[in-house]
Amino acid sequence: MNARKLDLMVVASAVAWAVVFAGAGCGKGGGSSAGQGSDKGVATAEKTTSPKAEPEAKPPTEAKEKIKLTINDFGVFGYKPMFAEYQQSHPNIEIVESVNEYNTHHSNLINHLAAGGGAADIEAIDEGFIAQLKARPEQFVNLLDFGAGELAKNYPEFKWHGSLSADGKKQIGLGTDVGGLAMCYRTDVFAKAKLPTEAAEVSALWPTWEKYVETGIKFKAAKTGAAFFDAATNLYNGQVFQLEKSYYEPGTNDVIADKNPGIKAAWDLTMKAIAQGLSGKLVAWQPDWVTAFQKGSFATITCPAWMQGYIKEQAPGTAGKWNIAAVPGAAGNWGGSWLTLPAQGKHQKEAYELAVFLTAPAQQVRVFKTVGNFPSAIPAMHDPSVESFKDPFFNNAPTGKIFGESAVNLKPQFQGEKHGPIRKAMEDGITRVEQGRQKPDESFAQAIKDAARAAR
Amino acid sequence: MPHGPPAELKMASTPALRPNRMNAARRLLWRADRRFSPYVYIAPFFLLFIGFGLFPLLYTGYVSLTNRDLLRPGVETYTGLANYRELVGDDYFWNTVKNTLLLMVMCSVPQLVLALVLAHILNARLWLRTLLRMGVLLPNVTSIVAVALVFAQIFSRDFGVVNWALGLVGIDPINWQSGDWTSRSAIAVMVIWRWTGYNALIYLGAMQAIPKELFEAAALDRAGTWRQLWHITLPALRPTIAFTALVSLIGQMQLFTEPLLFDTSPGSVSGGSARQFQTMSLFMYEEGFRLGHLGYGAAVAWLMIVMTFALAGIGYAVTRRAVGTTGAVA
Amino acid sequence: MTDAAQGSLAGLGKLRAHRQRRAAGGAAGEPSGLLTRYPLMVFVVLLSSFPVYWTFTIASQTNDAIGETPPPFLPGGNFLANARRVFDTVDFAKAIGNSFIVAGSITASTLVFCSLAGFAFAKLRFRGRNALLLVVIATMTCPVQLGVIPLYIEMQALGWAQNLLAVIVPTAVTGFGVVFMRQSTVQAVPDELLEAGRMDGCSSWGLYWHVVLPALRPAMAVLGLLTFMQAWNDFMWPVIVLSPKDPTVQVALSTLAAGQYMDYTLVLAGTALATLPILFVFGVFGRRIISGVMEGAVKG
């Protein structure tokens, strides 16, 4: 092919792609739908506990100072329609949202906090990072100063404590959603193993984690070819979440991972499950794990509310084959976020008012209806649309009730500053045993050593 | 056989030597130019470095002498060399040094050899050579997201391509992340895949200085591709090879992205469940950002710089003859 | 002649000697390696391009299609729909525009200033040259991750946070570029030419413009391509200092990746769209500069 022809080819393809750009770029989706004004009325009525934020009759001549509020979040919080409403009712406020990928969002936030600038007025923080960040409460506005204390009763205890500082005097966040915890299971695989398939019966199979493992042993004996659960770390974490004390002596910086009998018991049970061959030895979100969903390579998985959307998206062919039972202990939580106000922010009062609006129970219900995030506010959980929610994909399991109850039942657990890295150290230990790299005792000793190091 | 400067590049001005009748002002300008122009030419780089490279370096250096917590700026205390002393006695750190050096050897050597072979082949009049030349650079163009995705699939334990191929010859599925050498090999494959084309292009550029007649003569002598590579290409490219070796060494010391992507555990910077592929920069990131020990992390950064220097110095001393003359004549 | 040419000349001599010895021994000549060259190259290009091909394949599928095993290997028909979603989610056109501005500026400044500095280090004599060269090499050894915090502090002080300048200026002239240009100048510019130029009364700038630059074209083409590509793909720093309202293309991709779980068709559609401009740049400029000039450039 001579030079000229190649040139022409390149230019032709460039033109073709330009057309693609143009075609895709034009016909952008229509703007967000106009307000659902009635809901706002409900919201203001329910906000009896929040500081007065509504503007009364606006004197048309008085121009309030124009304020731009920035909010950074990740994933899908579903706030866009609410921004439009809020800006209508607060004409001097402009809201600018930036959405980023989960890890990028949090590392950006941490970098901005470390550099002393660049954070938004409102920052969303996920459960995975809250322990590290609430240990530095001076970086955030203490919402109690703005009267957030009145909101405490709206939340399950663990959610309120999740963003509370160690001394209990500083509240840095308002809860947005929770994951709750339930046990999703494959009815077809259970049927093959001659286990009951109705949710109530299945929940009765495992009131405790020990019984869960026993069921697993029975399941294994039925030789269906599937593993009982996907990864042992979920079994471990499910137990640890329910402990009164986990890695830290509450309110202190003392690591008690090695001394805490609850941790050891959780570890030992997990090791037993691995030894019995119950684990699929998969890693969440990896291609193998996704394929395992589709093929039914594992029978149960601890699932929070947000996992449902994932299952539906990744394994649509399994519709109707899932059901949801209670998790052993009927209490747990995996995931969920808070809205926080970095201390760097210049418009703290206005930001607080916006945050209260966004996390108000009425808004949480709306978010649940549009995006599926499970509410963290108890009044929202009891909203009929939430409580009676059923999904045919999951055999119409009463997910609204199950997740709500698991969240409400969960006792608050003090999570010290290095809770995240310590948890990772323990999880690595479990993975090492699953991978056959180390024996359980060695691995536990190594994990404790790593945990101590992480906490130094 | 060509000798002397070719006609195309010789300037047309030589026939009559200009009489050296410069007045004093011009002579002064001439001398000033000879003396100061080099500094002017290198100034942009150094200005930018002083502006944007020096402050971060000094800041990191200062932080490494304190016990600064990541999220508590301003309350750190001076601790002198305590961080460095702790680092030198830290098993976890030396583990990462071992991993980094092992990976360096496993990645650099095959990469550069392959790049040389590729560049040599691409230098010839191949059919569709431009497409091929651009093609080898595609891995560097490919976005990180795609790279992570593809390699996660390839090295997947249950359904990955590599394990499937191994299964054809009767080998059990390997958990690539879990083993020491399997994880390093997989990462080496990722790095080699990504950077070979980059180096091949650099070699290709340098090969343009080799007269085509040499290759033609060799072909007339019926010397094959590999002989030509060994006797003609290689000697000419020695300085370039030394350059790419240096750049590769520096890059490998800072290896971060590939081991980060390879760890399947979400958001993990520990380089595997047993830190089997944690490199120094991952360790630095873990200490500085995940554990909040910014002072310690800064010490790691500085120690990395010192070690890179030491290694580069050793490398330079070893290959000194190959670097070539500096040819300062003007 | 250049060092390169000299080295090769010696090599050719050795090769000839070797051939003569072999011919004397009666051994047959070697085949030209044609049989190994083409298959190898095809294999290499297939390996190199597979992920890019895969990107486009996924980008043209629907989400449930890619969930199947085995996943589809051929492109589907959904590309336009996915592309439209990309443009709906982020201001992608602006991101591409910004990336062109950033990568273009960085490439232009790199080519100009690195070739100048490389020339100075390679061929000009001045005090402190070796020490300063060491400093240049030293700047390449700094790990960048921790430098993010102080650099951000600087940008805030300068008022450049969330401005494209913050992304362009710090990497406008790199140590790698300087050392590479120095290397290339040493190899490609014969000293005799420079001497001749000096005798003609050329100033340093004149030498640079008339002698060095023409000889450096292939190397500059390479450096330009590599720099453009690296600037285009840079993610870590832009994502911290730029806002998603004024992003480069990689920052926009991060916004696309935000989601409760990865929407692969969306992200890879964005990735495909982000890769296209760079392929285009390669196609037009790479071809013209590398292949065209390389053939007719310095001839020993």
Side-chain angles (χ1 to χ4, degrees):
Chain A
M1 189 179 303
N2 66 25
R4 200 113 184 278
K5 267 211 192 137
L6 198 53
D7 245 342
L8 279 172
M9 229 179 65
V10 170
V11 173
S13 42
V15 171
W17 286 120
V19 171
V20 166
F21 266 101
C26 305
K28 273 189 211 187
S32 47
S33 54
Q36 292 152 4
S38 52
D39 268 13
K40 184 166 97 57
V42 170
T44 6
E46 281 198 6
K47 272 195 306 182
T48 47
T49 52
S50 65
K52 285 167 57 107
E54 325 75 7
E56 291 84 25
K58 294 184 287 286
T61 48
E62 195 184 300
K64 279 208 216 152
E65 169 209 351
K66 275 234 169 265
I67 295 180
K68 183 161 96 160
L69 287 180
T70 47
I71 169 170
N72 283 354
D73 56 46
F74 53 91
V76 186
F77 275 74
Y79 287 151
K80 277 211 183 49
M82 296 163 205
F83 291 150
E85 274 176 44
Y86 197 83
Q87 285 174 138
Q88 272 195 326
S89 65
H90 297 75
N92 63 316
I93 292 189
E94 184 197 342
I95 304 176
V96 177
E97 182 194 26
S98 300
V99 184
N100 233 320
E101 185 263 332
Y102 177 88
N103 280 307
T104 311
H105 164 85
H106 287 98
S107 76
N108 274 357
L109 171 60
I110 290 175
N111 276 320
H112 289 143
L113 292 178
D121 293 305
I122 300 179
E123 292 269 359
I125 300 181
D126 183 80
E127 173 190 73
F129 287 88
I130 192 72
Q132 175 188 13
L133 289 169
K134 76 176 184 186
R136 298 284 178 271
E138 62 272 15
Q139 287 271 8
F140 298 94
V141 174
N142 183 358
L143 301 180
L144 294 175
D145 293 343
F146 281 105
E150 303 161 315
L151 298 171
K153 61 183 185 308
N154 272 350
Y155 290 102
E157 267 192 275
F158 88 90
K159 190 69 181 175
W160 182 257
H161 278 86
S163 54
L164 200 60
S165 66
D167 59 6
K169 299 212 178 84
K170 305 187 196 76
Q171 175 58 272
I172 67 166
L174 293 175
T176 59
D177 59 329
V178 287
L181 203 60
M183 193 67 80
C184 294
Y185 64 96
R186 284 284 292 258
T187 50
D188 52 341
V189 180
F190 262 40
K192 255 201 274 183
K194 310 274 197 299
L195 288 171
T197 57
E198 282 307 307
E201 291 175 16
V202 172
S203 300
L205 281 178
W206 49 61
T208 65
W209 289 100
E210 286 80 9
K211 287 259 180 335
Y212 174 75
V213 174
E214 272 174 45
T215 313
I217 297 176
K218 256 193 275 182
F219 173 86
K220 180 105 191 331
K223 288 202 190 348
T224 56
F228 190 54
F229 53 77
D230 58 334
T233 47
N234 289 338
L235 171 59
Y236 170 79
N237 280 325
Q239 298 173 71
V240 172
F241 282 147
Q242 293 171 349
L243 293 173
E244 202 186 303
K245 295 194 230 182
S246 64
Y247 302 119
Y248 279 88
E249 188 61 44
T252 71
N253 231 2
D254 297 331
V255 176
I256 55 171
D258 48 340
K259 304 195 270 281
N260 188 341
I263 298 284
K264 193 65 174 48
W267 175 275
D268 288 336
L269 188 60
T270 310
M271 292 298 127
K272 177 173 171 193
I274 297 176
Q276 294 286 339
L278 304 183
S279 172
K281 304 193 182 158
L282 295 163
V283 180
W285 323 116
Q286 293 312 302
D288 279 352
W289 185 77
V290 176
T291 314
F293 260 111
Q294 296 157 350
K295 288 191 164 7
S297 311
F298 53 81
T300 67
I301 177 169
T302 52
C303 61
W306 44 265
M307 183 84 80
Q308 296 174 85
Y310 188 80
I311 298 179
K312 285 169 77 167
E313 186 84 13
Q314 298 296 321
T318 59
K321 296 191 188 155
W322 293 92
N323 209 328
I324 305 186
V327 77
N333 180 68
W334 181 1
S337 311
W338 291 260
L339 291 185
T340 66
L341 271 56
Q344 305 168 0
K346 303 271 186 302
H347 309 292
Q348 295 175 0
K349 181 159 182 307
E350 290 81 3
Y352 176 72
E353 288 163 9
L354 177 59
V356 170
F357 171 71
L358 292 172
T359 56
Q363 268 62 262
Q364 291 195 18
V365 173
R366 287 166 67 187
V367 165
F368 176 76
K369 286 201 256 206
T370 51
V371 179
N373 296 348
F374 198 82
S376 59
I378 302 180
M381 288 184 204
H382 290 317
D383 183 284
S385 56
V386 177
E387 212 166 26
S388 61
F389 184 79
K390 291 187 194 327
D391 194 333
F393 193 96
F394 292 94
N395 262 302
N396 288 319
T399 48
K401 283 184 78 185
I402 300 180
F403 289 120
E405 273 171 21
S406 67
V408 172
N409 288 344
L410 187 59
K411 302 227 180 340
Q413 185 189 79
F414 175 70
Q415 296 189 346
E417 179 184 337
K418 300 279 169 59
H419 179 91
I422 295 178
R423 172 179 154 174
K424 172 86 182 5
M426 305 304 290
E427 286 176 355
D428 279 346
I430 295 174
T431 310
R432 285 196 296 272
V433 175
E434 266 187 342
Q435 288 173 341
R437 278 192 72 112
Q438 267 183 321
K439 297 253 181 320
D441 290 333
E442 269 176 48
S443 191
F444 187 74
Q446 175 78 38
I448 294 293
K449 180 166 166 246
D450 290 343
R453 184 203 158 76
R456 79 194 195 284
Chain B
M1 190 80 61
H3 47 81
E8 301 94 78
L9 271 178
K10 255 180 113 161
M11 294 182 302
S13 56
T14 347
L17 271 176
R18 220 170 275 154
N20 212 345
R21 274 187 276 113
M22 290 195 264
N23 58 27
R26 275 208 73 192
R27 198 168 286 155
L28 210 61
L29 266 176
W30 172 260
R31 279 223 205 94
D33 168 58
R34 294 289 293 255
R35 209 136 169 243
F36 295 120
S37 58
Y39 296 105
V40 171
Y41 294 166
I42 66 176
F45 171 79
F46 283 100
L47 282 177
L48 275 181
F49 171 65
I50 293 173
F52 298 101
L54 198 56
F55 174 62
L57 259 184
L58 294 177
Y59 184 94
T60 313
Y62 165 70
V63 168
S64 74
L65 300 174
T66 68
N67 60 358
R68 157 89 192 257
D69 178 287
L70 178 70
L71 294 176
R72 287 208 168 113
V75 298
E76 62 268 14
T77 59
Y78 181 79
T79 55
L81 292 176
N83 285 328
Y84 291 96
R85 260 180 263 131
E86 188 185 341
L87 200 52
V88 169
D90 191 347
D91 286 339
Y92 291 74
F93 173 65
W94 289 111
N95 173 54
T96 62
V97 173
K98 176 185 87 176
N99 289 339
T100 309
L101 292 178
L102 277 175
L103 278 171
M104 182 184 300
V105 173
M106 289 170 76
C107 297
S108 299
V109 175
Q111 196 189 125
L112 296 181
V113 168
L114 270 174
L116 196 57
V117 169
L118 275 182
H120 178 78
I121 295 179
L122 288 171
N123 198 23
R125 288 183 184 285
L126 288 180
W127 186 57
L128 287 183
R129 63 178 169 279
T130 308
L131 273 172
L132 292 176
R133 286 171 180 175
M134 291 298 105
V136 297
L137 202 50
L138 277 177
N140 229 249
V141 174
T142 314
S143 85
I144 285 289
V145 175
V147 172
L149 193 54
V150 170
F151 279 94
Q153 292 260 10
I154 291 178
F155 285 109
S156 205
R157 184 193 64 202
D158 298 332
F159 300 103
V161 171
V162 177
N163 278 350
W164 169 80
L166 288 178
L168 290 179
V169 292
I171 304 180
D172 283 331
I174 301 177
N175 188 336
W176 291 92
Q177 275 82 14
S178 114
D180 285 1
W181 287 101
T182 57
S183 58
R184 291 180 198 136
S185 308
I187 294 178
V189 167
M190 285 173 78
V191 174
I192 293 171
W193 176 84
R194 196 164 174 82
W195 294 99
T196 298
Y198 185 92
N199 287 308
L201 207 64
I202 294 180
Y203 291 150
L204 198 53
M207 282 178 187
Q208 302 318 301
I210 305 178
K212 285 281 180 280
E213 291 82 12
L214 289 178
F215 289 111
E216 288 160 14
L220 280 177
D221 280 355
R222 292 167 68 209
T225 311
W226 312 112
R227 293 232 169 273
Q228 290 180 26
L229 169 62
W230 188 258
H231 289 282
I232 302 181
T233 311
L234 209 53
L237 246 47
R238 272 204 209 107
T240 314
I241 296 177
F243 168 71
T244 52
L246 173 69
V247 172
S248 186
L249 183 147
I250 295 178
Q252 287 293 138
M253 283 295 277
Q254 302 177 27
L255 190 64
F256 182 80
T257 315
E258 281 81 3
L260 179 67
L261 293 177
F262 187 63
D263 196 337
T264 50
S265 194
S268 164
V269 288
S270 62
S273 59
R275 297 167 190 273
Q276 57 270 38
F277 51 89
Q278 189 181 44
T279 55
M280 288 194 285
S281 55
L282 278 178
F283 179 73
M284 171 186 79
Y285 188 88
E286 185 187 18
E287 286 288 333
F289 288 100
R290 290 293 164 83
L291 300 180
H293 306 138
L294 199 60
Y296 199 63
V300 177
W302 267 94
L303 212 48
M304 280 171 70
I305 296 178
V306 168
M307 290 174 76
T308 308
F309 247 101
L311 274 180
I314 297 175
Y316 176 72
V318 162
T319 59
R320 203 200 293 232
R321 277 181 309 138
V323 172
T325 67
T326 51
V329 278
Chain C
M1 67 174 73
T2 65
D3 291 346
Q6 270 179 337
S8 293
L9 206 49
L12 182 64
K14 278 196 221 148
L15 179 60
R16 283 228 160 114
H18 175 93
R19 306 255 80 236
Q20 280 163 357
R21 268 181 273 125
R22 278 199 75 183
E30 251 180 325
S32 67
L34 198 69
L35 285 176
T36 48
R37 266 191 297 165
Y38 277 106
L40 178 64
M41 283 317 301
V42 170
F43 179 66
V44 165
V45 172
L46 278 180
L47 272 186
S48 305
S49 54
F50 180 69
V52 176
Y53 171 74
W54 184 252
T55 304
F56 281 86
T57 305
I58 301 277
S60 61
Q61 298 281 351
T62 57
N63 263 317
D64 24 292
I66 61 175
E68 299 163 17
T69 31
F73 276 98
L74 295 171
N78 217 32
F79 187 75
L80 272 182
N82 288 333
R84 181 159 308 190
R85 283 197 299 149
V86 169
F87 278 93
D88 284 348
T89 318
V90 293
D91 192 347
F92 210 70
K94 188 176 205 193
I96 298 248
N98 281 342
S99 277
F100 262 113
I101 296 175
V102 169
S105 313
I106 294 180
T107 306
S109 104
T110 299
L111 286 178
V112 169
F113 295 121
C114 289
S115 58
L116 264 178
F119 164 55
F121 276 116
K123 300 290 185 184
L124 297 180
R125 208 181 263 137
F126 56 97
R127 241 212 309 221
R129 185 178 70 174
N130 286 336
L132 287 173
L133 184 60
L134 266 185
V135 173
V136 173
I137 296 181
T139 65
M140 299 201 296
T141 65
C142 316
V144 295
Q145 287 86 3
L146 284 193
V148 157
I149 296 176
L151 202 55
Y152 191 86
I153 295 176
E154 251 194 280
M155 291 303 156
Q156 280 220 294
L158 284 170
W160 284 358
Q162 308 188 335
N163 189 322
L164 288 182
L165 278 176
V167 179
I168 297 177
V169 177
T171 45
V173 187
T174 58
F176 172 79
V178 172
V179 180
F180 180 57
M181 287 281 101
R182 174 199 169 272
Q183 189 67 47
S184 314
T185 310
V186 163
Q187 283 192 284
V189 180
D191 293 340
E192 303 86 47
L193 274 186
L194 292 168
E195 283 168 11
R198 281 294 187 201
M199 285 208 289
D200 279 356
C202 247
S203 66
S204 307
W205 175 264
L207 280 183
Y208 169 74
W209 190 257
H210 293 290
V211 182
V212 174
L213 265 192
L216 269 189
R217 266 206 215 109
M220 284 178 77
V222 172
L223 182 62
L225 271 178
L226 297 181
T227 306
F228 189 89
M229 205 176 56
Q230 219 142 4
W232 188 270
N233 281 338
D234 191 18
F235 173 73
M236 200 187 61
W237 172 240
V239 84
I240 292 179
V241 78
L242 293 180
S243 79
K245 293 299 161 200
D246 203 10
T248 57
V249 101
Q250 303 298 329
V251 178
L253 285 181
S254 171
T255 306
L256 281 182
Q260 284 170 343
Y261 39 82
M262 272 282 251
D263 185 345
Y264 280 116
T265 56
L266 181 68
V267 174
L268 288 177
T271 305
L273 289 172
T275 313
L276 282 177
I278 221 183
L279 290 179
F280 174 61
V281 167
F282 273 19
V284 171
F285 295 104
R287 190 199 72 74
R288 182 151 318 176
I289 297 176
I290 286 195
S291 114
V293 179
M294 271 182 177
E295 312 298 24
V298 189
K299 279 205 180 134

